Amino acid sequence: MDLLDIIGPVMIGPSSSHTAGAVRLGRVGRLVLGEEPRKAKIFLHGSFKETYRGHGTDRAIIAGLLGFDTSDPRIRESLKIAKERGLNYEFLLIDLPEAHPNTAYMELWGETSIARVTGSSIGGGAVLITDINGYPVNISAKYPTIIVPHNDQPGAVAKVTSVLAWHGINIARMSVARQKKGAEALMVIETDQPVDDETFKEIKRLPGITGGFTIPPL
Amino acid sequence: MYLESVEQLIKIAKENGQTLGRMALILEAKDREVPEEHLLNIMRERLQVMRAAVTEGLQGNRSVGGLVGGQALKYQAWYNSGKSLASGVFGKAITYALAVSEANASMGLIVAAPTAGSAGVIPGVLLSIMEEYEIPEEKVIEGLYAAGAVGLVIAFKASLSGAQGGCQAECGSAAAMAAVAATELLGGSPEQAAHAGAIALKGMLGLVCDPVAGLVEVPCVKRNVSAAVQALAAVDLALAGITSAIPLDEVIGAMGEIGRELPISLKETAQGGLAATPTGKALAQKIFGRKEEKNGENN
Ligand code: SF4
């Protein structure tokens, strides 16, 4: 625990888990999509499903999809702003087996891409992203995180980590998720220092790397 | 900063001839390797957010769930009429605690202190004392560091979350944190401040978390008032030289124990207590029975 998290954070109410955490889930969704979302289907599970209107969880997730942070007063008006910006959204209720009570599964469409993200608001505004585009992951968005899809072949991980090392970026945690052997896999790397744009471009140019995006600490 | 007990902070503060608030600030700055000025500025901003939340709460906005709103405004009018039972700091603290809690419930900007649900307690106590006794802003900022340090100990020994420890962990902790800070603002010694914290928290022990419909509205908004008043009474007792038989650190330990023993139905699950009353259930039904909303053309 940190003293500035005890008298803090500054946030839009009413609930750190149902409002602030929900904004963060939306923001991760936007970052994964990597562009302005045009259409969103948001499936709510558990306590999110039961109480989302009373806590403003719907406005919070949409606010995150629009790129607002947890202290942005526009969260209150986010449903209206979504309309103005041409984001069509829909909230649906779902039962996800064994998921945390505050879980949302988002299907997102932009002009050129589609993203699917599942995440939970696990208390005090913290989140845990558990699935990105069908890959099981474990992302807290507390540290700078890079997510790199790559062809599942020997050497891919080593190439990425050596670029990071060369730029003096220390790895705090990393994992590789894949759907089946030899197909595309997803590298998730949490770092102590933020990965700057130039370094990230270098990583994306590596052979076998098929894309990638970063999630800053939210 | 790492802090295991309030006793430890009192000891260091006395060795250095500082208040608990100033000492907490100094230790925090050392720990983060930043100038004290930097931390003062961060907390100054948060104090401003607290003030703005009072103003916002006094607009009388309805909460998201629709169960609260306009109470701060109503009480302020009563207080200003001169007919209220509570005068001076007490009346102001009630007004401000209501206002910040209502701002929170209507998606206003607040400082979670220690949580969003209990965000009205510390501003209620500290802002009213600041105004009525013309305390300089810098002292109040230091007071927020004293409150934060007590919160750190509570997080270490017990819990600050209703889901883990019941409302004693949220509103109770806020009352203890506010009481310690306020005692120092009014010239009490570090020991007196700790006694005030202990007295305040003892009065909140066992308080369950039973929000109607699971929303941070009923009873949360009025519990912020209870906690603020509890804190002020404790400050007054401590300043009068009355002590707590059980020291603050041990009261905090007891709070953690009680929190563990509370049944899950009384820890934010909205399954027991007020949430399970016939009226509580009817209100929940009314709020969540509303029709689905969406925009756009897709189904
Ligand atoms: S009753 Fe529960 S939700 Fe409400 S303020 Fe207390 S701890 Fe928070």
Side-chain angles (χ1 to χ4, degrees), chain B residues 115 117-118 161-163 166-168 170-171 208-211 215-217 219-220 223-224 268:
Chain B
T115 60
S118 57
S161 110
C167 199
Q168 52 164 7
E170 292 200 9
C171 286
V208 303
C209 172
D210 51 355
L215 305 181
V216 193
E217 302 193 7
C220 315
R223 261 186 200 154
N224 275 255
E268 219 180 85

Side-chain angles (χ1 to χ4, degrees), chain A residues 1-4 6-14 39 50-55 71 75-76 83 87-90, chain B residues 32 46 56 64 104 106-110 112-114 116 144 151-152 214-215 288 292-293 295-299:
Chain A
M1 257 295 184
D2 185 325
L3 194 148
L4 292 175
I6 287 177
I7 308 294
V10 173
M11 59 171 271
I12 291 290
K39 179 174 152 188
E50 308 298 336
T51 68
Y52 75 97
R53 276 190 221 97
H55 278 120
S71 63
I75 293 171
R76 257 176 293 183
K83 223 175 225 167
L87 163 60
N88 288 319
Y89 63 83
E90 185 177 359
Chain B
R32 289 172 184 260
R46 296 190 181 180
E56 173 159 1
V64 191
N104 179 59
S106 62
M107 300 188 87
L109 190 66
I110 53 99
L144 290 173
L152 273 179
L215 305 181
F288 299 126
E292 298 298 303
E293 295 152 40
N295 78 358
E297 76 292 350
N298 43 67
N299 296 297

Side-chain angles (χ1 to χ4, degrees), chain B:
Chain B
M1 161 175 55
Y2 178 74
L3 197 60
E4 278 186 25
S5 70
V6 179
E7 196 54 51
Q8 187 191 342
L9 182 64
I10 293 178
K11 193 168 159 271
I12 307 172
K14 285 179 68 178
E15 281 165 10
N16 290 277
Q18 301 287 358
T19 59
L20 298 178
R22 182 91 217 162
M23 198 66 235
L25 170 68
I26 295 170
L27 292 174
E28 191 66 26
K30 223 182 249 167
D31 195 59
R32 289 172 184 260
E33 300 174 11
V34 295
E36 284 163 34
E37 197 50 41
H38 174 73
L39 290 181
L40 283 172
N41 287 338
I42 292 178
M43 215 48 114
R44 183 172 294 117
E45 262 180 57
R46 296 190 181 180
L47 186 64
Q48 268 152 15
V49 172
M50 289 181 181
R51 281 215 198 89
V54 168
T55 310
E56 173 159 1
L58 287 168
Q59 308 289 316
N61 293 335
R62 230 34 224 170
S63 65
V64 191
L67 300 178
V68 295
Q71 300 174 1
L73 211 52
K74 208 175 225 176
Y75 186 78
Q76 191 188 41
W78 178 241
Y79 173 69
N80 288 341
S81 76
K83 287 185 268 184
S84 67
L85 208 48
S87 58
V89 166
F90 274 78
K92 252 192 193 173
I94 294 174
T95 310
Y96 293 174
L98 278 176
V100 176
S101 296
E102 286 191 315
N104 179 59
S106 62
M107 300 188 87
L109 190 66
I110 53 99
V111 182
T115 60
S118 57
V121 181
I122 290 176
V125 171
L126 297 189
L127 293 178
S128 55
I129 289 179
M130 180 179 180
E131 286 176 18
E132 292 286 301
Y133 288 86
E134 293 174 16
I135 312 263
E137 188 181 68
E138 176 140 344
K139 288 273 162 249
V140 181
I141 294 169
E142 288 176 11
L144 290 173
Y145 276 96
V150 174
L152 273 179
V153 175
I154 300 177
F156 178 76
K157 282 184 191 277
S159 164
L160 292 167
S161 110
Q164 277 177 333
C167 199
Q168 52 164 7
E170 292 200 9
C171 286
S173 298
M177 291 156 67
V180 169
T183 305
E184 286 203 316
L185 292 187
L186 295 170
S189 67
E191 282 92 349
Q192 278 175 312
H195 282 301
I199 296 167
L201 186 54
K202 285 194 295 185
M204 306 293 281
L205 284 185
L207 191 63
V208 303
C209 172
D210 51 355
V212 167
L215 305 181
V216 193
E217 302 193 7
V218 173
C220 315
V221 167
K222 294 192 193 81
R223 261 186 200 154
N224 275 255
V225 175
S226 312
V229 171
Q230 185 86 244
L232 286 176
V235 171
D236 221 16
L237 295 190
L239 290 173
I242 296 169
T243 57
S244 170
I246 314 289
L248 179 52
D249 285 315
E250 291 182 40
V251 179
I252 292 170
M255 191 265 268
E257 246 343 282
I258 295 166
R260 275 185 284 279
E261 285 183 20
L262 280 180
I264 193 80
S265 62
L266 299 173
K267 289 192 270 199
E268 219 180 85
T269 51
Q271 279 160 9
L274 297 171
T277 56
T279 303
K281 284 197 244 173
L283 288 171
Q285 181 59 37
K286 212 171 118 196
I287 295 167
F288 299 126
R290 275 189 255 149
K291 267 188 68 72
E292 298 298 303
E293 295 152 40
K294 62 170 181 158
N295 78 358
E297 76 292 350
N298 43 67
N299 296 297

Side-chain angles (χ1 to χ4, degrees), chain A residues 120-144:
Chain A
S120 312
S121 175
I122 56 173
V127 297
L128 191 67
I129 305 300
T130 52
D131 193 290
I132 289 182
N133 295 334
Y135 294 99
V137 294
N138 219 313
I139 299 168
S140 69
K142 271 191 188 147
Y143 311 96

Side-chain angles (χ1 to χ4, degrees), chain A residues 135 148-154 156-157 176-187 208-210:
Chain A
Y135 294 99
V148 190
H150 60 280
N151 297 322
D152 184 20
Q153 60 199 33
V157 172
V176 177
R178 57 187 188 183
Q179 288 163 324
K180 61 178 194 292
K181 204 167 151 187
E184 205 184 50
L186 203 64
M187 222 182 293
I209 304 300
T210 54

